Structure formats: C-alpha cells, structure tokens
Amino acid sequence: MTCAEIFERMEEKFKEVKLPDINGVFQFNVPGEDGGQWHAVCQGRSCRVSSGRYSRPDVTVTVNAENAVRLAEGRLNPALALLTRKVRVRGDLALAARIQRLLAGRI
C-alpha cells in the first residue's frame, strides 16, 4: 500500500465508519519519496479528502510515508508513534484524537 492509496481510500473509510459529528480540517503532510500532501474537510458526519495543502487547517499531521502506511494498516500504535515522534501533530489535539480513534488500522 502507498500513501496515495491510503488517502484515496480515506474518504470511503470515513463513510464506512459511523462518524460522530466532526467539524474541522485535517492537513496531512507526508515528506519524502512516496509522500505528498492531502487534507480532509469534515463537516458533520461526512469528510471530503483532497490532495494538496489547505491554507488554515485545524489539525496538521506530519508523518513519513513508511509510518503512514504502518499506521493505516494497524501495524503502528498511534500513541506510541506520537511519543516517539514518528508522528507529529499540531493544532487541536482533541479533534485529532477523535479522528485517530476512528481510522487507525482501518484503511
């Protein structure tokens, strides 16, 4: 699985997982080879995922491509990834925690 495949599937996964009302914009920065930038705009119970940078996201997640894939496949614990700085999160941490619990290991 590649990062591009993860983000292509993410919007569908948002639909499959019964999302509670989530309002916010998530920016995902994946530096390096096989990386890129994507953002998810969530309003109510739906999220729209697009490639590129969002100008003023509520949450910014930075993770390298290898760890992004490991997170999506459930092979990397999100809490451990944060503690070991394999994933960096800026912005509204409570909002980030809500989305992480829903998607970790489900892509």
Side-chain angles (χ1 to χ4, degrees):
M1 179 180 303
T2 67
C3 284
E5 291 171 332
I6 290 168
F7 289 98
E8 287 171 9
R9 295 177 182 181
M10 188 177 283
E11 193 167 326
E12 187 60 35
K13 293 299 174 181
F14 277 123
K15 292 176 187 173
E16 289 175 12
V17 176
K18 301 294 186 212
L19 280 177
D21 284 340
I22 294 179
N23 294 300
V25 178
F26 300 84
Q27 175 68 45
F28 301 94
N29 297 325
V30 185
E33 192 174 324
D34 295 327
Q37 292 185 318
W38 294 268
H39 60 272
V41 179
C42 299
Q43 297 176 321
R45 296 182 190 271
S46 68
C47 287
R48 182 177 36 85
V49 178
S50 303
S51 62
R53 185 172 184 274
Y54 196 88
S55 62
R56 295 184 52 104
D58 298 296
V59 176
T60 300
V61 178
T62 303
V63 58
N64 71 31
E66 178 185 352
N67 287 327
V69 171
R70 290 176 64 213
L71 282 166
E73 293 177 341
R75 296 185 293 124
L76 179 61
N77 179 296
L80 183 60
L82 280 169
L83 289 172
T84 59
R85 300 184 65 115
K86 291 179 179 178
V87 174
R88 296 182 184 197
V89 178
R90 287 192 338 238
D92 186 337
L93 298 180
L95 186 60
R98 290 180 72 197
I99 207 83
Q100 170 264 303
R101 285 192 306 263
L102 294 168
L103 294 177
R106 296 185 182 186
I107 302 245

